[in-house]
Amino acid sequence: MKNFFTNMKKSTKNHLITYAGIIVAYAIMQILCGTGVASNLIKGLLVPICVYSIVAIGLNLCVGILGELSLGHAGFMCIGAFTGALATKLLYDYIPSKILMFLIALVIGTFFAALFGFLIGIPVLRLKGDYLAIVTLAFGQIIINIINVLYIGKDEAGLHFAFSNPNAINMNEETGVWLINGAKGITKIPSISNFTIGVILLIVSLFIVYHLVDSRTGRAIMAIRDNRIAAESVGINITKYKMLAFTISAAIAGAGGVLYSHNLSTLTATTNNFGYNMSIMILVYVVLGGMGSFRGSIIATVILYMLPELLRGLSDYRMLFYAIILIGLMLFNWSPKAIVWRQKVLSLLPFGKKGEKGKVE
Amino acid sequence: MALLEVKDLGISFGGLQAVSEFNISIKKGQLYGLIGPNGAGKTTVFNMLTGVYTPDCGSIVLDGVPITGKKTTYINQAGIARTFQNIRLFNDQTVLDNVKIGLHNQIKYNTFTSIVRLPKYFKSEKQMKEKAMELLKVFDLDKEADLLASNLPYGKQRKLEIARALATNPKLLLLDEPAAGMNPNETAELMDTIRFVRDNFDMTILLIEHDMKLVSGICEELTVLNFGKVLCQGYTKEVLEDTEVIKAYIGD
């Protein structure tokens, strides 16, 4: 049993450290919430942190492991959020258990996000160059605009759809219920997600990406990133593995979206929550956390998401401090001197060995 | 029957006829050299053989299977592996992983197996590691297995590229200037390695090289390219004494 840890693959050890870190952080937060130390402000941040960590992991798979830039991951999150919430609205009365309901919504939301990722990937991932960034950027904006003019209602006759004109929906006005009401979005979503579900979902996403990366498939994906021509020359099917990685990446973002929508009672699609700004925000988490490092993505998300809220006391100077901390983090992560210093510190620790660049942590 | 049969291969880029009327026939187990002055079109021929470029005309048949104009991935699976003039390794991955990527189509399991970690994953990974280490041992790289590929010295990077190409289990190995940038000692060692690969892996090898010592030392037959056309073809000794060939290299 003692040899168990020393004989373990370095990557497996790294994975376990990440899982353990999340569980410890979860336990601490539960104790803080239980004893009433944590303020309502902090409590309100817990689920969103899980949401953005999950989306950041998904984006990191695309940007860090596959090496393709996506500027529309908030769009996939949006798809997941709306399809998941719609499923819950439709089925909530028929499904007895909340957990089961959430699982169904999760499957549906993830499936549709993956489907859109797949459809976008078909034409775009065949091309070389930065086309994916352009197309996903447009996708993110288009999806918001479409949802804002989409009307879906339900009455005893079934579902009714209308596009851009709510009066054309032809629904029984007395008994009908709006499911998606254009720009007003989806209202009265049953709140069936919580911090525990969020953490479980986060660990499951990590489990999937870690196991994906540390396998034949993951090596093929990273080979394409490192040298496309060489990857082709050893018989790797470039399009297939690009599609696979991008679809899984979109699916994980969709799962984050489902969690997001079930934490709110009213879900609307605005440029703030699903638009370009949010996509860039998540990209910032990924880049500052370290490309290809899933653990880094989570740490960066936690710090950078909490910062603006915790700095609220500084009122006007809030964003100034936020920017300074961003620059500090960037230097800490990428400056050669900081890397050398970090490795020195790590080698002093009992469990850490010399840090190795390029390894997935 | 010849392993590789190329007939009337030609390609042009814009107005430039890079290669035309290229014929070659390589028998199984042969060590064949492709030489010529700079810009003669040697690497272009390699790129057509491996599907990087689609030839305008002509045909390529490997072991009875036509592979003209097919994709690189398909051609590799059909049995042609190559190395590159400017080394193309997967720099951010370990030496071992580079070879494992070469084994991609040899030992297979699907993505679901790897995510759920079914028993097949562990079995295949173990098999893969054993096979990769075996290959690395042949090239004396087994001690560097856990290093990043980019941290290897130049000569070893060349060897690793050959090991990775061999991992794909090819019938024909194409080496693009394997001795470029090597000192005489390293070149001599490389010659031994190439011979060893041919004998022990039962391999047919086609190589591009400028180092005449290496070419005359190991190649049995040569084809000389000049301005995209075959200048001379035949046994190494005869070709190297040909007046036309000497003229092309040294001038009048």
Side-chain angles (χ1 to χ4, degrees), chain B residues 36-65:
Chain B
N38 285 328
K42 305 180 295 290
T43 299
T44 307
V45 168
F46 265 31
N47 282 340
M48 284 191 286
L49 290 181
T50 54
V52 176
Y53 298 150
T54 309
D56 295 337
C57 57
S59 73
I60 308 166
V61 178
L62 177 78
D63 212 6
V65 182

Short mmCIF file of all heavy atoms in Angstrom, two decimals, chain B residues 36-65:
data_model
loop_
_atom_site.label_atom_id
_atom_site.label_comp_id
_atom_site.label_asym_id
_atom_site.label_seq_id
_atom_site.Cartn_x
_atom_site.Cartn_y
_atom_site.Cartn_z
N GLY B 36 20.42 15.03 -55.89
CA GLY B 36 20.32 16.09 -56.87
C GLY B 36 20.66 17.41 -56.23
O GLY B 36 20.63 17.53 -55.00
N PRO B 37 20.99 18.42 -57.06
CA PRO B 37 21.36 19.73 -56.50
C PRO B 37 20.17 20.37 -55.78
O PRO B 37 19.03 19.92 -55.90
CB PRO B 37 21.73 20.55 -57.74
CG PRO B 37 21.87 19.59 -58.85
CD PRO B 37 21.06 18.39 -58.51
N ASN B 38 20.43 21.43 -55.04
CA ASN B 38 19.35 22.14 -54.34
C ASN B 38 18.29 22.61 -55.32
O ASN B 38 18.59 23.10 -56.40
CB ASN B 38 19.92 23.37 -53.61
CG ASN B 38 20.67 22.96 -52.36
OD1 ASN B 38 20.32 21.97 -51.74
ND2 ASN B 38 21.70 23.69 -52.04
N GLY B 39 17.05 22.46 -54.94
CA GLY B 39 15.95 22.94 -55.78
C GLY B 39 15.63 22.01 -56.93
O GLY B 39 14.89 22.37 -57.84
N ALA B 40 16.17 20.78 -56.91
CA ALA B 40 15.93 19.87 -58.02
C ALA B 40 14.54 19.25 -57.95
O ALA B 40 14.05 18.70 -58.93
CB ALA B 40 16.99 18.78 -58.04
N GLY B 41 13.90 19.31 -56.78
CA GLY B 41 12.55 18.76 -56.66
C GLY B 41 12.47 17.48 -55.85
O GLY B 41 11.48 16.76 -55.92
N LYS B 42 13.51 17.18 -55.08
CA LYS B 42 13.53 15.92 -54.33
C LYS B 42 12.44 15.88 -53.26
O LYS B 42 11.66 14.92 -53.17
CB LYS B 42 14.91 15.73 -53.66
CG LYS B 42 16.08 15.81 -54.62
CD LYS B 42 17.40 15.62 -53.92
CE LYS B 42 17.74 16.71 -52.93
NZ LYS B 42 18.06 18.02 -53.49
N THR B 43 12.40 16.94 -52.46
CA THR B 43 11.39 16.96 -51.39
C THR B 43 9.98 17.03 -51.98
O THR B 43 9.04 16.46 -51.42
CB THR B 43 11.66 18.13 -50.43
OG1 THR B 43 12.95 17.96 -49.86
CG2 THR B 43 10.64 18.18 -49.32
N THR B 44 9.86 17.68 -53.14
CA THR B 44 8.55 17.72 -53.81
C THR B 44 8.10 16.30 -54.16
O THR B 44 6.92 15.96 -54.01
CB THR B 44 8.63 18.59 -55.08
OG1 THR B 44 9.17 19.84 -54.73
CG2 THR B 44 7.27 18.78 -55.70
N VAL B 45 9.06 15.48 -54.62
CA VAL B 45 8.72 14.09 -54.92
C VAL B 45 8.23 13.39 -53.65
O VAL B 45 7.19 12.71 -53.65
CB VAL B 45 9.95 13.34 -55.50
CG1 VAL B 45 9.69 11.84 -55.53
CG2 VAL B 45 10.27 13.85 -56.88
N PHE B 46 8.94 13.60 -52.53
CA PHE B 46 8.51 13.01 -51.26
C PHE B 46 7.11 13.47 -50.90
O PHE B 46 6.28 12.68 -50.45
CB PHE B 46 9.49 13.43 -50.14
CG PHE B 46 10.56 12.42 -49.89
CD1 PHE B 46 11.05 11.63 -50.91
CD2 PHE B 46 11.09 12.25 -48.62
CE1 PHE B 46 12.05 10.70 -50.68
CE2 PHE B 46 12.08 11.32 -48.37
CZ PHE B 46 12.57 10.55 -49.40
N ASN B 47 6.87 14.75 -51.08
CA ASN B 47 5.57 15.29 -50.71
C ASN B 47 4.45 14.73 -51.58
O ASN B 47 3.31 14.59 -51.12
CB ASN B 47 5.58 16.83 -50.79
CG ASN B 47 6.26 17.44 -49.58
OD1 ASN B 47 6.39 16.79 -48.54
ND2 ASN B 47 6.70 18.67 -49.70
N MET B 48 4.78 14.40 -52.83
CA MET B 48 3.75 13.77 -53.68
C MET B 48 3.54 12.32 -53.27
O MET B 48 2.41 11.84 -53.23
CB MET B 48 4.15 13.86 -55.15
CG MET B 48 3.93 15.25 -55.73
SD MET B 48 4.10 15.27 -57.51
CE MET B 48 5.85 15.14 -57.71
N LEU B 49 4.64 11.64 -52.94
CA LEU B 49 4.52 10.23 -52.52
C LEU B 49 3.68 10.10 -51.25
O LEU B 49 2.97 9.13 -51.06
CB LEU B 49 5.90 9.63 -52.28
CG LEU B 49 6.80 9.40 -53.50
CD1 LEU B 49 8.12 8.77 -53.08
CD2 LEU B 49 6.11 8.52 -54.53
N THR B 50 3.80 11.10 -50.35
CA THR B 50 3.08 11.00 -49.08
C THR B 50 1.77 11.78 -49.08
O THR B 50 1.13 11.92 -48.04
CB THR B 50 3.95 11.51 -47.92
OG1 THR B 50 4.40 12.83 -48.23
CG2 THR B 50 5.12 10.61 -47.67
N GLY B 51 1.37 12.32 -50.23
CA GLY B 51 0.06 12.94 -50.32
C GLY B 51 -0.03 14.36 -49.80
O GLY B 51 -1.12 14.91 -49.67
N VAL B 52 1.11 14.97 -49.48
CA VAL B 52 1.08 16.37 -49.06
C VAL B 52 0.70 17.23 -50.27
O VAL B 52 -0.09 18.16 -50.17
CB VAL B 52 2.44 16.80 -48.47
CG1 VAL B 52 2.42 18.27 -48.12
CG2 VAL B 52 2.77 15.96 -47.25
N TYR B 53 1.28 16.90 -51.44
CA TYR B 53 0.88 17.53 -52.69
C TYR B 53 0.14 16.49 -53.54
O TYR B 53 0.47 15.31 -53.50
CB TYR B 53 2.09 18.02 -53.50
CG TYR B 53 2.93 19.06 -52.84
CD1 TYR B 53 4.30 19.14 -53.10
CD2 TYR B 53 2.38 19.99 -51.95
CE1 TYR B 53 5.09 20.09 -52.51
CE2 TYR B 53 3.17 20.95 -51.36
CZ TYR B 53 4.53 20.99 -51.64
OH TYR B 53 5.30 21.94 -51.04
N THR B 54 -0.84 16.97 -54.30
CA THR B 54 -1.50 16.07 -55.24
C THR B 54 -0.84 16.24 -56.61
O THR B 54 -0.81 17.35 -57.14
CB THR B 54 -2.99 16.44 -55.37
OG1 THR B 54 -3.53 16.51 -54.06
CG2 THR B 54 -3.74 15.41 -56.18
N PRO B 55 -0.29 15.17 -57.17
CA PRO B 55 0.39 15.30 -58.46
C PRO B 55 -0.59 15.66 -59.59
O PRO B 55 -1.75 15.28 -59.55
CB PRO B 55 1.01 13.92 -58.68
CG PRO B 55 0.33 13.01 -57.74
CD PRO B 55 -0.18 13.82 -56.61
N ASP B 56 -0.08 16.42 -60.58
CA ASP B 56 -0.92 16.79 -61.72
C ASP B 56 -1.15 15.58 -62.63
O ASP B 56 -2.19 15.43 -63.25
CB ASP B 56 -0.25 17.90 -62.54
CG ASP B 56 -0.13 19.18 -61.74
OD1 ASP B 56 -0.93 19.33 -60.79
OD2 ASP B 56 0.74 20.01 -62.05
N CYS B 57 -0.11 14.76 -62.74
CA CYS B 57 -0.25 13.60 -63.61
C CYS B 57 0.63 12.47 -63.10
O CYS B 57 1.46 12.68 -62.22
CB CYS B 57 0.13 13.96 -65.05
SG CYS B 57 1.80 14.61 -65.18
N GLY B 58 0.44 11.30 -63.64
CA GLY B 58 1.25 10.16 -63.25
C GLY B 58 0.56 9.27 -62.23
O GLY B 58 -0.54 9.57 -61.78
N SER B 59 1.23 8.16 -61.89
CA SER B 59 0.61 7.24 -60.95
C SER B 59 1.63 6.71 -59.95
O SER B 59 2.81 6.58 -60.25
CB SER B 59 -0.03 6.07 -61.70
OG SER B 59 0.99 5.22 -62.17
N ILE B 60 1.16 6.46 -58.73
CA ILE B 60 2.00 5.88 -57.69
C ILE B 60 1.31 4.60 -57.22
O ILE B 60 0.13 4.64 -56.85
CB ILE B 60 2.13 6.84 -56.49
CG1 ILE B 60 2.57 8.23 -56.96
CG2 ILE B 60 3.10 6.29 -55.46
CD1 ILE B 60 2.40 9.31 -55.92
N VAL B 61 2.02 3.50 -57.26
CA VAL B 61 1.43 2.24 -56.80
C VAL B 61 2.33 1.66 -55.72
O VAL B 61 3.53 1.46 -55.94
CB VAL B 61 1.28 1.24 -57.97
CG1 VAL B 61 0.72 -0.07 -57.46
CG2 VAL B 61 0.38 1.83 -59.04
N LEU B 62 1.77 1.41 -54.55
CA LEU B 62 2.54 0.83 -53.46
C LEU B 62 2.05 -0.59 -53.22
O LEU B 62 0.89 -0.79 -52.85
CB LEU B 62 2.36 1.66 -52.18
CG LEU B 62 3.08 1.10 -50.95
CD1 LEU B 62 4.56 1.41 -51.01
CD2 LEU B 62 2.48 1.64 -49.67
N ASP B 63 2.92 -1.55 -53.48
CA ASP B 63 2.60 -2.95 -53.21
C ASP B 63 1.27 -3.36 -53.88
O ASP B 63 0.44 -4.01 -53.27
CB ASP B 63 2.50 -3.15 -51.69
CG ASP B 63 2.95 -4.56 -51.31
OD1 ASP B 63 3.42 -5.27 -52.21
OD2 ASP B 63 2.81 -4.92 -50.13
N GLY B 64 1.08 -2.88 -55.09
CA GLY B 64 -0.13 -3.24 -55.83
C GLY B 64 -1.34 -2.37 -55.58
O GLY B 64 -2.37 -2.52 -56.22
N VAL B 65 -1.22 -1.44 -54.60
CA VAL B 65 -2.37 -0.57 -54.29
C VAL B 65 -2.09 0.83 -54.83
O VAL B 65 -1.08 1.44 -54.50
CB VAL B 65 -2.56 -0.47 -52.75
CG1 VAL B 65 -3.77 0.38 -52.42
CG2 VAL B 65 -2.66 -1.84 -52.13
#
